Amino acid sequence: MLPLYLSIEGLYSYQHKQEIDFTKLTEAGLFGIFGKVGSGKSSIIEAISFALYGETERLNKQERRTYNMLNLKSDAACIVFDFLNFEGRKFRFVAQWKRKKKFEETSTLERYAYTWKDDNWLPLASADGAEVTRLNYPNFRRTIIIPQGQFKEFLELRGKDRSDMMKEIFHLGRFDLGPKVSTLQRKNNNRLEGLKGALSGFEAVSIEILQAKQEELENTQTRLTSVKAETTALEIELTRLTESKRLRTDLQHKKVTADALEAEQPKMQQQERELEVYEVTQAAFREILNQTQLLNKEKELVTHKLEQLSTKKQQVLARLDEKETEWQKIATDYAQIEQFRAETEDLKLLIQVVKQLEQKKILSKRLEDGKPHLLKAQEEERLLNEQVKQAEERLEELRHKKVDTTALLALESWYQQQDNFSSKLQELHARKSSLSDEIDRTKQTFQQLNVSVDGWEQTCKQTEIEWNQQLLQLQQEETQLKVQSKLKEFAESLENGIPCPLCGAIEHPDRMVAHDLAAREIAWQEQQMAIQQNLVQLKENFQLLTRASIIRQDKQDQLAILDEQLGAANEQLQKHRSNFIWTDFSASDKTAFLAYKDKNQLAEEAVKATESAWKATRSQAVAAQAKVEKYRVSLAEFEQNLVVIDSLVQQNIAQLRVLAATEPAQWKEATLVNRKQQLDNRIRYLEDSYRALTESIQQLKTELATVNGQRSSAKEQFQQLYQQLGARQAELSGLLKAHGYDDIIQVQQILQKQLNIAQIRKAIQEFNVNLQTLRGQVHDLERKIAADGYSEIIYEEKLHVYQVKKEALELQIRVVGALEKECAHLQVEFAKKEKLIEEYDRLNLRKSNLTTLENLFRGAGFVNYVSSIHLQRLCEIANLRFHRLTKNNLSLTINENNEFEVVDYLNNGFRRSVKTLSGGQSFQASLCLALALAESIQSLNKADKNFFFIDEGFGTQDADSMNTVFETLQYLHRENRIVGIISHVEELKERIPRAVNVVNDSEKGSIVSYHNE
């Protein structure tokens, strides 16, 4: 991961938005973030972790995290972090929340993630940083962002925790095959058990049983072939006899049928004669009788139509006479309709004249009433104008009496600045007193531990060296005691007559005798324990004195800054007092100024009151002027409207055509309106009646002409039908004589039979054909059975023998089928058994192999093995730098539990725990491991550059070690590695190519600036 940009606002001491461009810092390979204790340095890496994971080392979710992390002077917090991941892709993570109306309550934390694509930030579905960095939060703070107090965590992790970490970072989960092997074993065992159960069902299946069944099947098939041949011969003979029997039965049936047809033959001949008579009569009389019947029906219809038309003609004539009488009644009034229309127009004009006269009367009254109001408004306007003039004169007089406000404001500003300077001096003196008290309290810590403030560090280091030397002497004594103890055990085990393993002597006259070894060992242990306790206490005292020294130095620096601020404040106050130029007032006493200010304020209030009164009077005058103008315009409109109304009245009277305009003032509008309405109604009635009667008369005349035409046509049709009926009667008489009938009734009786000629003719033909066919078939059957030698007794015997043979054949077929099915089933089952045995052997072999794999992968052993390889590789990479830092005195390695140990070459290469390292050595080991881990991650992710932060440790290094560490860190730039350090040690700042300074301002909060650009 490579950081690009970070902005922080409202987080901890960051009151206002601060931005860090990491591209300026990372190009040097090594950069630093410097500031005093509490300036907000560590908040930078905490902001990065919080944006990526929503987690922080200081607070958890149960500790009101969003409230406690929000700056007390800010209403909202926002973190924006841009970076490149191991794939070189650009991402942005944002975390933000704000304060609610209630000060102690905050909104829910909102986190978003974006990716840079096509010159736009596109949102991601998840804001989990682990999906982008491939590291969860605990491993992220162990490998990339290493916060305060966590730098040695990776070094001192227990074996299992470190293995879990390595498992995630190096994706060793793919080597944790134990669960998969267990799953495969379970499936394999289940299948083995299933196969055992399946094989138990095949105990009755064997190759011997199968061969016996196949021999039995062959014998049965031979017997089946013999029975089938005998049955086939019998079946052929029986078929011949059955055919002979069928022919005899068929002959008997056909003779019975032929006799029945012979009996019906006379009846069919009589029906054929009747059909011939019916056909002749129908051909001669059917058509002419039908035509005569149709002519009679048409004659009856025409007669009925003539009667209806005569009645309708009488009705139309009566209605026509009625409508013509009504038309004569209104014809006289309809001739005067134009005169009626002219009279309605005159009435309309007279109504308008009456309305105009009434409007003229109203306007005249309003004109007379409005003139006094106009005079009154003009008088009111004159009085208000005089009052406005008087108010303006008084306002001008008061303005001349006002004092110069510019001088007053300048004097007030001077007094205000003097008060601010005085308050600032008081505050600085109070802060100086508080810092002095805190410095005195830190001195008490040195006094309690009986060390000097300046030489405490040298005293502690000298004491540590002395005790370490004593401890080294005790270790040498321990070695001597162990050697003497082993020699004592060896001497006590010697026996006369048995050769010594060392010198080969048989006799042992002067055996070694050691006295007080146990007492000496106890004394040594007590001394060693006492020295170790002293070292532990010395370490605690050193840490306590270090904190006190840092606090004392920080407070002294703040005190020096306060002294500078006090001098500057006093100088500003003196300079400010020298600028006092008002001789009528005192720089130390504001009484005269306040009295002068009150007097000016009273004058100002009088001006404002007079100005308000002038504005009010002026507004009234303007309103009065508008009122006068409004009255004048209204009266002018009234006079103009009166002239217009007189002109309209004369014009309307001049347009009258029928009525006379005598004394129009006496006319009533309601009377004129009623008269006009009555006249309009009469005109509409005459027009509607005349139009309706004219249309009705025309329609009735048209209808009468139509009825007369239809009646004449019906009479002509009646005469034609009468003539046609006479001709048909003469034709019928001739046909009766020609066919020998006495009258038409005989013909009608024959035709009423309604015979179906085609159907009867077909039935007769079919009867004749059937009779002739049966006679031929009887003759043929008699010829066929004449020499077939059929006997009913032989037939019955053959039939009985055939049935017996057929039953025997069917039984033999069933037996063969059953044996074939059983053999096929045995073959299938035997094949299944062979496959099951083969599968069982294969799974049994797989079970043995899976058991071997289970033993190999049990308890994540293989993962731990792979993890140990990676850890050993990390130690090898880390030792390349650790040897240089420790001058080849120490080396890192791992034990069988995957825990780090140190090989101490100063003590014969013995191994010891990394927890025995000093603070500086722990920092060196942790730094080398962190660099090695970063290098491995870079190689794993195939990243061009890698980066990590360090937030502690440089204060524990001496000058030589610090030089070596910095050489190592600067060398990383050539290896495409970037390291950022956070420290409050100002001496380091000059040694860092790029740096950021963080200052916590009491008013503005933490402020970020760049150094060594």
Side-chain angles (χ1 to χ4, degrees):
M1 184 188 78
L2 187 65
L4 301 176
Y5 167 82
L6 175 67
S7 72
I8 308 174
E9 181 179 5
L11 179 71
Y12 291 129
S13 59
Y14 288 85
Q15 180 179 348
H16 301 291
K17 183 178 180 179
Q18 299 296 313
E19 297 178 293
I20 299 176
D21 184 1
F22 281 103
T23 58
K24 297 180 180 179
L25 303 175
T26 56
E27 63 185 7
L30 176 64
F31 67 90
I33 297 177
F34 295 96
K36 296 181 180 180
V37 175
S39 61
K41 305 184 298 299
S42 299
S43 299
I44 292 175
I45 61 174
E46 189 169 348
I48 294 175
S49 300
F50 198 60
L52 286 174
Y53 298 97
E55 297 291 342
T56 176
E57 284 298 302
R58 301 194 206 182
L59 301 167
N60 56 38
K61 294 181 180 178
Q62 286 72 31
E63 294 176 315
R64 299 175 64 199
R65 182 167 60 190
T66 52
Y67 168 74
N68 288 311
M69 293 178 70
L70 183 59
N71 186 277
L72 295 176
K73 295 182 180 179
S74 300
D75 295 327
C78 181
I79 305 169
V80 179
F81 179 52
D82 297 351
F83 64 95
L84 298 176
N85 77 334
F86 63 93
E87 298 173 326
R89 295 174 59 195
K90 188 176 179 182
F91 293 92
R92 168 172 289 178
F93 278 70
V94 179
Q96 60 187 19
W97 68 98
K98 60 184 178 179
R99 198 183 303 281
K100 293 185 177 179
K101 293 182 179 179
K102 191 175 181 181
F103 187 81
E104 295 80 5
E105 295 181 357
T106 59
S107 64
T108 305
L109 172 65
E110 298 177 353
R111 296 178 55 250
Y112 308 99
Y114 306 88
T115 182
W116 183 257
K117 188 175 183 180
D118 299 331
D119 296 330
N120 284 306
W121 287 111
L122 302 179
L124 297 177
S126 172
D128 184 8
E131 297 182 3
V132 176
T133 63
R134 290 190 179 177
L135 293 172
N136 61 15
Y137 175 63
N139 291 333
F140 180 79
R141 63 183 176 80
R142 291 168 183 157
T143 57
I144 295 181
I145 303 292
I146 307 175
Q148 254 180 10
Q150 304 296 328
F151 192 59
K152 296 193 298 181
E153 183 181 2
F154 176 60
L155 181 65
E156 297 178 354
L157 278 176
R158 304 296 298 174
K160 181 180 183 304
D161 295 333
R162 187 180 292 105
S163 295
D164 291 341
M165 175 182 173
M166 300 295 290
K167 181 177 178 180
E168 179 184 352
I169 292 176
F170 293 101
H171 312 295
L172 303 184
R174 63 185 186 276
F175 298 113
D176 188 8
L177 303 177
K180 294 183 179 179
V181 171
S182 299
T183 302
L184 292 175
Q185 275 187 314
R186 186 169 57 255
K187 292 181 178 178
N188 194 70
N189 292 335
N190 291 338
R191 292 177 65 184
L192 277 173
E193 292 299 323
L195 286 174
K196 288 180 181 179
L199 285 171
S200 64
F202 290 92
E203 294 177 353
V205 178
S206 65
I207 188 63
E208 294 80 9
I209 296 174
L210 178 60
Q211 291 175 352
K213 286 293 180 182
Q214 287 177 344
E215 291 178 2
E216 183 180 358
L217 175 62
E218 291 175 359
N219 297 330
T220 308
Q221 286 176 338
T222 302
R223 291 195 297 272
L224 174 62
T225 304
S226 175
V227 174
K228 186 181 290 186
E230 295 176 359
T231 306
T232 302
L234 278 173
E235 186 175 2
I236 294 170
E237 179 63 19
L238 186 62
T239 300
R240 187 185 66 78
L241 293 173
T242 302
E243 179 64 18
S244 297
K245 183 177 181 180
R246 185 189 67 77
L247 291 174
R248 282 171 170 74
T249 304
D250 192 16
L251 176 61
Q252 185 178 0
H253 174 70
K254 289 186 181 300
K255 284 183 178 181
V256 171
T257 304
D259 294 341
L261 290 177
E262 291 287 349
E264 290 181 4
Q265 188 173 15
K267 180 180 178 182
M268 295 302 294
Q269 291 174 351
Q270 177 61 32
Q271 189 175 6
E272 185 176 7
R273 288 193 294 271
E274 291 178 357
L275 181 62
E276 290 175 356
V277 172
Y278 179 80
E279 284 180 329
V280 172
T281 304
Q282 182 183 29
F285 292 93
R286 173 70 71 183
E287 182 65 25
I288 193 171
L289 287 175
N290 289 338
Q291 291 178 359
T292 303
Q293 187 176 4
L294 287 174
L295 289 172
N296 285 326
K297 287 183 178 180
E298 287 183 11
K299 180 181 176 184
E300 291 176 358
L301 290 174
V302 171
T303 302
H304 180 68
K305 182 177 180 181
L306 283 171
E307 292 175 355
Q308 288 179 338
L309 289 172
S310 298
T311 303
K312 186 174 182 180
K313 179 180 178 182
Q314 296 300 322
Q315 292 174 351
V316 172
L317 287 172
R319 287 162 57 195
L320 181 61
D321 291 341
E322 181 182 356
K323 294 296 180 181
E324 286 177 346
T325 302
E326 293 178 0
W327 186 86
Q328 291 296 331
K329 291 180 180 179
I330 66 168
T332 304
D333 291 340
Y334 184 77
Q336 300 177 358
I337 194 167
E338 290 300 326
Q339 185 177 357
F340 293 156
R341 288 196 178 101
E343 187 175 350
T344 58
E345 291 297 324
D346 290 351
L347 287 172
K348 182 178 179 181
L349 292 172
L350 289 175
I351 290 170
Q352 291 180 358
V353 169
V354 171
K355 288 180 179 180
Q356 291 164 353
L357 292 174
E358 183 65 24
Q359 188 176 5
K360 178 181 178 182
K361 182 178 179 181
I362 293 171
L363 287 174
S364 299
K365 187 175 184 308
R366 291 184 66 184
L367 182 62
E368 294 300 324
D369 294 342
K371 288 179 179 179
H373 289 288
L374 176 61
L375 295 174
K376 182 179 178 182
Q378 289 174 342
E379 180 64 19
E380 183 178 351
E381 180 187 6
R382 185 184 64 78
L383 293 175
L384 287 172
N385 287 331
E386 291 179 357
Q387 292 177 7
V388 168
K389 186 176 180 182
Q390 294 173 1
E392 288 177 348
E393 292 174 354
R394 177 168 174 75
L395 183 61
E396 187 66 25
E397 181 182 354
L398 289 173
R399 284 175 177 170
H400 284 299
K401 293 181 180 181
K402 281 181 59 178
V403 298
D404 186 6
T405 56
T406 305
L408 185 64
L409 290 173
L411 184 58
E412 184 176 16
S413 174
W414 188 92
Y415 280 121
Q416 184 65 39
Q417 290 181 7
Q418 178 170 271
D419 292 341
N420 292 337
F421 288 141
S422 299
S423 299
K424 185 176 181 180
L425 279 172
Q426 292 176 1
E427 182 184 353
L428 290 173
H429 282 298
R431 289 172 60 188
K432 181 178 179 181
S433 177
S434 176
L435 287 173
S436 299
D437 293 340
E438 292 179 3
I439 291 172
D440 292 339
R441 284 195 292 271
T442 58
K443 288 181 180 180
Q444 293 176 4
T445 303
F446 293 95
Q447 293 171 0
Q448 290 172 359
L449 297 175
N450 196 21
V451 293
S452 65
V453 175
D454 298 326
W456 67 271
E457 189 172 3
Q458 186 63 33
T459 302
C460 290
K461 288 183 178 179
Q462 185 62 34
T463 305
E464 183 182 12
I465 292 171
E466 292 175 357
W467 282 337
N468 282 328
Q469 290 176 352
Q470 293 178 18
L471 189 61
L472 183 60
Q473 292 175 1
L474 287 175
Q475 290 176 352
Q476 293 174 357
E477 292 178 6
E478 178 190 15
T479 304
Q480 294 175 2
L481 286 173
K482 288 181 178 180
V483 171
Q484 291 178 6
S485 177
K486 290 294 183 182
L487 289 174
K488 180 184 176 183
E489 293 177 2
F490 179 73
E492 290 176 351
S493 65
L494 293 176
E495 296 180 6
N496 291 326
I498 298 176
C500 174
L502 297 176
C503 62
I506 299 176
E507 296 181 357
H508 317 289
D510 298 322
R511 296 184 183 180
M512 177 183 175
V513 178
H515 302 284
D516 300 330
L517 282 178
R520 290 169 62 189
E521 186 174 357
I522 292 172
W524 171 82
Q525 290 177 351
E526 291 177 352
Q527 290 178 8
Q528 186 185 37
M529 186 178 299
I531 292 174
Q532 289 177 347
Q533 290 176 353
N534 289 334
L535 285 172
V536 171
Q537 184 62 43
L538 180 62
K539 186 177 180 180
E540 293 177 355
N541 293 342
F542 186 84
Q543 293 176 351
L544 181 61
L545 291 171
T546 300
R547 287 195 296 271
S549 177
I550 292 172
I551 293 172
R552 182 176 179 276
Q553 183 63 39
D554 185 54
K555 299 303 179 185
Q556 286 179 344
D557 293 343
Q558 294 181 24
L559 188 60
I561 294 172
L562 278 178
D563 290 336
E564 293 177 0
Q565 292 176 352
L566 276 170
N570 283 317
E571 184 179 349
Q572 289 177 346
L573 181 59
Q574 293 301 325
K575 183 178 180 181
H576 178 69
R577 287 179 176 175
S578 66
N579 293 330
F580 191 81
I581 59 174
W582 297 275
T583 57
D584 296 336
F585 301 94
S586 172
S588 58
D589 187 6
K590 293 198 296 185
T591 306
F593 163 72
L594 295 174
Y596 185 74
K597 182 179 178 181
D598 292 340
K599 179 182 177 182
N600 183 69
Q601 187 173 0
L602 292 174
E604 186 71 26
E605 289 176 356
V607 170
K608 289 182 179 178
T610 305
E611 188 174 2
S612 299
W614 171 77
K615 288 181 179 178
T617 307
R618 181 175 176 81
S619 299
Q620 293 176 0
V622 172
Q625 184 179 1
K627 187 176 180 181
V628 168
E629 184 63 24
K630 179 181 178 183
Y631 286 164
R632 186 180 291 111
V633 170
S634 298
L635 292 177
E637 288 179 355
F638 291 162
E639 291 175 352
Q640 185 177 1
N641 290 336
L642 286 173
V643 173
V644 172
I645 289 172
D646 289 337
S647 175
L648 291 174
V649 168
Q650 295 300 323
Q651 182 180 354
N652 289 332
I653 291 174
Q655 292 178 0
L656 295 177
R657 293 186 297 172
V658 178
L659 300 177
T662 58
E663 297 181 358
Q666 298 179 357
W667 293 339
K668 300 295 181 183
E669 182 180 358
T671 303
L672 294 173
V673 170
N674 290 334
R675 183 177 174 184
K676 180 178 180 299
Q677 187 174 3
Q678 291 174 359
L679 197 58
D680 288 338
N681 292 337
R682 181 168 181 78
I683 290 171
R684 282 195 297 273
Y685 170 74
L686 289 173
E687 288 177 343
D688 294 343
S689 300
Y690 184 84
R691 185 186 312 106
L693 288 173
T694 302
E695 292 175 355
S696 298
I697 290 171
Q698 186 63 35
Q699 290 175 357
L700 289 171
K701 287 181 178 179
T702 302
E703 186 178 358
L704 180 62
T706 301
V707 170
N708 288 331
Q710 292 175 350
R711 194 163 174 271
S712 299
S713 176
K715 286 181 179 179
E716 291 177 359
Q717 186 178 5
F718 182 80
Q719 292 295 331
Q720 292 175 357
L721 290 173
Y722 185 78
Q723 294 174 0
Q724 290 176 359
L725 282 172
R728 293 291 182 275
Q729 290 293 337
E731 188 177 353
L732 278 174
S733 299
L735 288 172
L736 288 172
K737 290 180 180 179
H739 289 83
Y741 291 111
D742 296 333
D743 52 24
I744 196 63
I745 295 174
Q746 293 177 347
V747 174
Q748 289 176 348
Q749 287 176 348
I750 293 172
L751 294 177
Q752 283 176 355
K753 293 180 181 180
Q754 297 292 327
L755 297 178
N756 190 337
I757 297 172
Q759 184 177 359
I760 295 172
R761 181 72 66 190
K762 182 179 179 181
I764 294 170
Q765 290 175 355
E766 289 178 353
F767 177 81
N768 294 328
V769 170
N770 290 337
L771 182 59
Q772 295 299 324
T773 302
L774 282 172
R775 288 173 180 171
Q777 290 175 349
V778 168
H779 177 73
D780 290 339
L781 289 173
E782 288 177 346
R783 181 176 54 79
K784 286 180 180 180
I785 64 174
D788 58 0
Y790 173 79
S791 172
E792 189 67 25
I793 297 172
I794 296 173
Y795 174 76
E796 292 296 334
E797 289 178 354
K798 293 290 185 182
L799 180 62
H800 177 69
V801 172
Y802 173 74
Q803 289 176 349
V804 172
K805 286 292 184 182
K806 187 176 180 180
E807 290 176 359
L809 177 62
E810 290 175 353
L811 177 61
Q812 201 67 27
I813 290 172
R814 286 196 296 272
V815 171
V816 171
L819 286 172
E820 287 177 345
K821 186 175 181 181
E822 188 173 358
C823 286
H825 175 70
L826 283 173
Q827 288 176 346
V828 171
E829 292 300 306
F830 186 74
K832 288 181 180 178
K833 182 177 181 180
E834 287 183 334
K835 289 183 179 180
L836 289 175
I837 292 172
E838 181 182 355
E839 181 69 10
Y840 183 82
D841 293 339
R842 187 182 66 81
L843 292 177
N844 207 21
L845 177 61
R846 181 177 174 81
K847 178 181 179 182
S848 176
N849 294 334
L850 288 174
T851 302
T852 303
L853 290 175
E854 181 190 20
N855 295 331
L856 177 62
F857 298 126
R858 182 180 290 116
F862 190 62
V863 175
N864 292 334
Y865 169 71
V866 177
S867 177
S868 66
I869 294 174
H870 281 279
L871 286 173
Q872 190 62 50
R873 176 59 181 160
L874 285 179
C875 288
E876 294 173 1
I877 298 172
N879 283 330
L880 296 175
R881 299 182 179 93
F882 192 53
H883 288 165
R884 186 167 63 252
L885 292 175
T886 61
K887 298 180 175 58
N888 293 320
N889 292 333
L890 299 175
S891 180
L892 290 170
T893 186
I894 60 168
N895 59 18
E896 63 277 1
N897 295 323
N898 280 353
E899 295 177 351
F900 285 114
E901 289 185 343
V902 176
V903 179
D904 191 348
Y905 295 113
L906 292 177
N907 292 286
N908 298 323
F910 288 114
R911 293 188 176 191
R912 55 190 173 94
S913 173
V914 293
K915 295 182 180 179
T916 62
L917 293 173
S918 65
Q921 291 172 336
S922 296
F923 171 76
Q924 292 171 349
S926 300
L927 175 62
C928 293
L929 282 173
L931 292 172
L933 189 60
E935 182 177 348
S936 298
I937 293 174
Q938 178 182 359
S939 176
L940 179 66
N941 292 331
K942 298 180 181 179
D944 294 333
K945 291 187 177 182
N946 212 333
F947 161 85
F948 68 93
F949 251 123
I950 303 172
D951 190 12
E952 63 176 340
F954 292 94
T956 63
Q957 303 296 297
D958 56 25
D960 292 339
S961 298
M962 183 67 73
N963 290 331
T964 306
V965 168
F966 269 94
E967 289 176 5
T968 301
L969 294 178
Q970 289 173 347
Y971 185 76
L972 294 175
H973 183 48
R974 284 177 259 169
E975 301 176 0
N976 278 338
R977 293 179 185 83
I978 300 168
V979 179
I981 64 172
I982 295 179
S983 179
H984 63 275
V985 181
E986 289 293 329
E987 290 78 4
L988 301 178
K989 189 185 299 184
E990 300 303 325
R991 306 182 68 174
I992 302 296
R994 292 281 190 273
V996 167
N997 292 326
V998 182
V999 178
N1000 191 352
D1001 186 85
S1002 58
E1003 297 295 332
K1004 300 180 180 178
S1006 294
I1007 299 174
V1008 174
S1009 61
Y1010 295 94
H1011 178 70
N1012 291 343
E1013 287 192 358

